[in-house]
């Protein structure tokens, strides 16, 4: 098969709009309080913009209400920073929804041509991907995002003997594109998975079968994915089997006529992403034992509603054998927090989680060392159980060790650890959709969506579940309704929620989520990432479900009722 697929720009539409406040502190330094995913990058960017040293800029990230990549760009920080630096007066800038829509950096529009070939047994031997990406007026994330359209899609087919990926990025007179959950992989997986589904139909095969024959397996190769030499933790086969069972695939595929002109069809897709950027991302954590035997966990990554403060505190509590409530997580302040690249690239649980574990292990050694000193024994003879340091019958409470740390002690009860991974182990997912198409009007109703995820060992299953549900909902919006359009002058047409439609609760049907755990040895407690992966399957799964129900193949998102109705009419006229 050889087909071209077209994905449009999408807005991140995070709940909290862009906003920044600035003031001068009593040392004459600029303090920037901002809703951002990248506090340390903002410090660097503001310093360069004002032509002042970064040491004169302090960035604080409070609790913030969502980002999805929009706040991986410095949108609102520069302007109030200029005002405060020039006038010495406090300033703030809060974007309205309209301003957020016209000033953000939406997903890159991409046109992706895929050639794929299989032998007579359904073994995919060759994949060729060419991506044309629209970066808008500026090169915001332009070369990095487009790379993932091939990087995360070709690796899904392990028997590939010949593969090629090429791309071009073009400047156009529209809004500059940037980071959005999935970061190019979403577009690439829509194209490659759609092409493979079309290949299966052309060969008279069930798409599930062609994927079962070619999917990544533990210990198997990942073509075109140099981040890891092979799939070292992978339950894609279990994800596929479970998704097939949950959807009752064999009885529903390809479609069922419901009468009254309505047909229900099912479609399925698989996906992989990454866990941080190998050899680039840095996670940082500072852990301090306080005099009341509580712990302060200072983090450099930005919790934007993802729950990383909770997850990382859970890890620390487990390592230190203490109650979760005994860990006080401290949000980002670039003056006191350890350096962290920021919350993007599915990095926080994986990279910063490893930094937290390293910090905990070092602090435990120091607690044992100080406790052993108080007991009059060597550190090798002592141990720590979270409540006390003990050696045989001798023991000293953590409370006493903590107090000793503040009085007559030269051993610092505070540890900072950093972590940067040499590899980026991918999480995996299978998504299956059931849609009902009205063949008279082209109306599409999403009836059911099944998501089965391998994110390693979930640290917090509840948070992993809502991450999955949220990502799937965003993918449904991208598949069925979201569509950024511009006037000929390059002005955005959909500049409010009245024009730009995102899914409501009534639009997303029933989303069912399950996990098929693997154990990633390089990850904290066996965990991999989950944040971006979960948006990747809805577009190709829904597209194939619509095809199975209506016979109309839509290769340009969003899949609207008009496209279906016109496609059905065209087919009837051709008969």
């Amino acid at each position: 098969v050889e087909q071209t697929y077209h994905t449009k720009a999408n807005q991140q539409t995070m709940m909290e709009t862009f906003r920044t406040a600035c003031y001068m502190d009593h040392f004459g330094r600029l303090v920037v309080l901002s809703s951002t995913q990248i506090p340390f990058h903002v410090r660097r960017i503001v310093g360069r913009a004002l032509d002042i040293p970064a040491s004169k800029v302090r960035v604080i990230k409070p609790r913030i209400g969502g980002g999805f990549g929009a706040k991986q760009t410095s949108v609102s920080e520069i302007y109030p920073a200029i005002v405060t630096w020039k006038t010495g007066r406090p300033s703030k800038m809060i974007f309205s929804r309209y301003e957020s829509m016209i000033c953000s950096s939406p997903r890159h529009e991409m046109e992706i041509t895929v050639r794929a070939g299989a032998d007579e047994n359904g073994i995919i031997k060759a994949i060729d991907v060419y991506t044309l990406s629209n970066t808008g007026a500026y090169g915001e994330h332009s070369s990095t995002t487009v790379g993932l359209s091939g990087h995360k899609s070709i690796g899904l087919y392990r028997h590939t003997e010949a593969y090629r990926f090429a791309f071009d990025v073009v400047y156009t007179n529209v809004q500059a594109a940037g980071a959005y959950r999935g970061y190019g992989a979403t577009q690439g997986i829509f194209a490659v998975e759609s092409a493979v589904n079309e290949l299966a139909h052309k060969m008279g095969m069930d798409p599930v079968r062609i994927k079962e024959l070619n999917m990544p397996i533990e210990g198997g190769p990942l073509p075109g994915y140099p981040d890891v030499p092979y799939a070292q933790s992978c339950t894609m086969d279990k994800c596929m089997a479970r998704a097939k069972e949950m959807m009752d695939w064999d009885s529903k595929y390809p479609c069922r006529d419901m009468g009254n002109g309505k047909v229900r069809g099912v479609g399925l897709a698989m996906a992989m992403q990454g866990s941080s950027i190998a050899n680039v991302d840095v996670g940082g954590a500072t852990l301090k034992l306080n005099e009341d035997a509580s712990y302060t966990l200072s983090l450099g990554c930005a919790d934007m509603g993802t729950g990383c403060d909770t997850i990382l505190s859970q890890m620390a509590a487990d390592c230190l054998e203490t109650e979760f409530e005994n860990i006080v997580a401290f949000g980002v302040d670039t003056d006191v927090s350890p350096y962290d690249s920021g919350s993007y690239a599915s990095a926080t649980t994986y990279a910063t989680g490893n930094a937290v574990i390293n910090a905990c292990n070092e602090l435990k050694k120091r607690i044992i060392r100080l406790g052993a000193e108080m007991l009059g024994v060597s550190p090798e003879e002592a141990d720590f159980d979270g409540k006390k340091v003990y050696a045989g019958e001798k023991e000293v409470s953590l409370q006493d060790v903590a107090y000793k740390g503040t009085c007559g002690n030269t051993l610092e009860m505070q540890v900072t650890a950093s972590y940067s991974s040499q590899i980026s182990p991918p999480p995996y997912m299978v998504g299956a959709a059931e849609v009902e198409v009205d063949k008279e009007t082209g109306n599409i109703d999403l009836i059911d969506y099944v998501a089965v995820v391998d994110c390693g060992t979930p640290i917090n299953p509840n948070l992993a579940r809502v991450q999955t549900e949220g990502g799937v909902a965003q993918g449904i919006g991208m598949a069925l309704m979201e569509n950024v359009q511009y006037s000929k002058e390059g002005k955005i047409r959909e500049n409010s929620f009245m024009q730009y439609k995102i899914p409501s609760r009534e639009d997303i049907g029933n989303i069912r989520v399950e996990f098929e755990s693997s154990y990633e040895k390089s990850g904290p407690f066996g965990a991999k990432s989950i944040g971006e992966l979960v948006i990747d399957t809805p577009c190709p799964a829904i597209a194939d479900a619509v095809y199975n129900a209506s016979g109309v193949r839509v290769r340009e998102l969003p899949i609207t009722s008009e496209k279906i109705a016109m496609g059905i009419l065209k087919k009837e006229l051709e008969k």
Side-chain angles (χ1 to χ4, degrees), residues 114-443:
V114 181
R115 288 196 300 161
D119 66 16
E120 65 275 13
N121 298 314
I123 303 300
I124 293 174
K125 296 290 190 179
I127 298 177
D128 184 9
V129 178
Y130 169 72
T131 302
L132 182 65
S133 179
N134 180 1
T135 191
Y138 300 94
E140 179 76 24
H141 294 265
S142 56
S143 58
T144 48
T145 305
V146 72
L148 269 66
S149 66
H151 185 212
K152 308 297 186 187
S153 58
I154 293 171
L156 286 168
Y157 294 92
R158 72 178 188 274
H159 297 301
T160 305
E161 294 175 6
Y163 58 87
R164 179 171 63 182
F165 172 56
F167 64 82
D168 286 302
V169 180
V170 294
Y171 290 105
T172 60
N173 68 320
V174 298
Q175 199 169 358
Y180 185 5
R181 188 180 208 164
Y183 202 80
T186 312
Q187 298 95 306
I189 287 171
F190 166 65
V192 170
E193 282 297 273
S194 292
V196 170
N197 286 339
E198 291 197 51
L199 182 62
H201 291 302
K202 196 170 184 179
M203 296 180 69
M205 290 182 71
D206 184 332
V208 167
R209 183 59 186 149
I210 204 168
K211 293 177 199 303
E212 287 173 340
L213 291 169
N214 293 280
M215 67 172 63
I217 58 171
E218 193 159 302
L222 296 170
Y225 191 86
D227 302 61
V228 288
Y230 59 89
Q232 41 194 42
S233 61
C234 177
T235 59
M236 184 76 97
D237 53 344
K238 293 180 180 177
C239 292
M240 183 67 74
R242 185 66 185 127
K244 188 177 176 183
E245 180 185 345
M246 290 171 70
M247 185 53 77
D248 193 14
W249 182 269
D250 289 335
S251 68
K252 292 180 179 178
Y253 177 80
C255 63
R256 296 176 295 155
D257 193 325
M258 308 305 289
N260 201 26
K262 295 185 178 180
V263 182
R264 290 189 179 183
V266 291
L268 183 141
M270 57 186 186
M272 58 183 267
Q273 195 79 33
S275 301
S276 79
I277 306 173
N279 296 304
V280 173
D281 286 341
V282 175
T286 296
L287 193 63
K288 179 172 67 173
L289 175 64
N290 301 312
E291 62 271 17
D292 64 347
S294 67
Y295 300 93
T296 298
L297 177 62
S298 180
L299 299 166
C301 61
D303 192 329
M304 50 182 159
T306 49
C308 65
D309 285 359
T310 301
I311 290 166
L312 297 169
S313 296
Q314 284 182 279
M315 291 185 190
D318 194 282
C319 289
L320 296 166
E321 299 179 72
T322 189
E323 295 78 19
F324 174 77
E325 294 73 21
N326 207 33
I327 307 292
V328 181
F330 182 75
V332 189
D333 179 338
T334 57
D335 268 13
V336 295
S337 298
Y339 179 80
D340 195 291
S341 309
S343 294
Y344 58 84
S346 302
T348 50
T349 296
Y350 181 76
T352 310
N354 274 317
V356 167
I357 290 173
N358 292 343
C360 289
N361 291 337
E362 179 57 32
L363 186 60
K364 280 176 69 174
K365 290 178 184 176
R366 295 190 183 193
I367 290 170
I368 292 170
R369 185 173 153 195
L370 183 56
E373 186 181 301
M374 294 169 70
L375 293 172
V377 299
S378 69
E380 291 74 23
E381 297 174 80
D383 207 348
F384 175 56
D385 66 2
K387 301 288 185 186
K388 61 184 181 297
V389 176
Y390 61 92
E393 297 298 316
K394 294 181 177 180
E395 64 178 55
V396 59
S397 71
L398 179 62
Q399 182 88 37
D400 290 340
V401 173
Y403 182 73
K404 176 63 177 174
T406 67
C407 181
N409 171 51
T410 57
L411 182 62
E412 180 63 54
M413 290 290 100
Q414 178 171 314
V415 173
T416 296
S418 289
Y419 180 83
S420 183
S421 179
Q422 307 305 300
I423 59 173
S424 178
Y428 304 93
M429 174 183 181
V430 173
E434 182 178 14
V435 303
E436 183 173 274
V437 175
D438 186 325
K439 298 190 83 168
E440 187 173 347
T441 65
N443 183 65

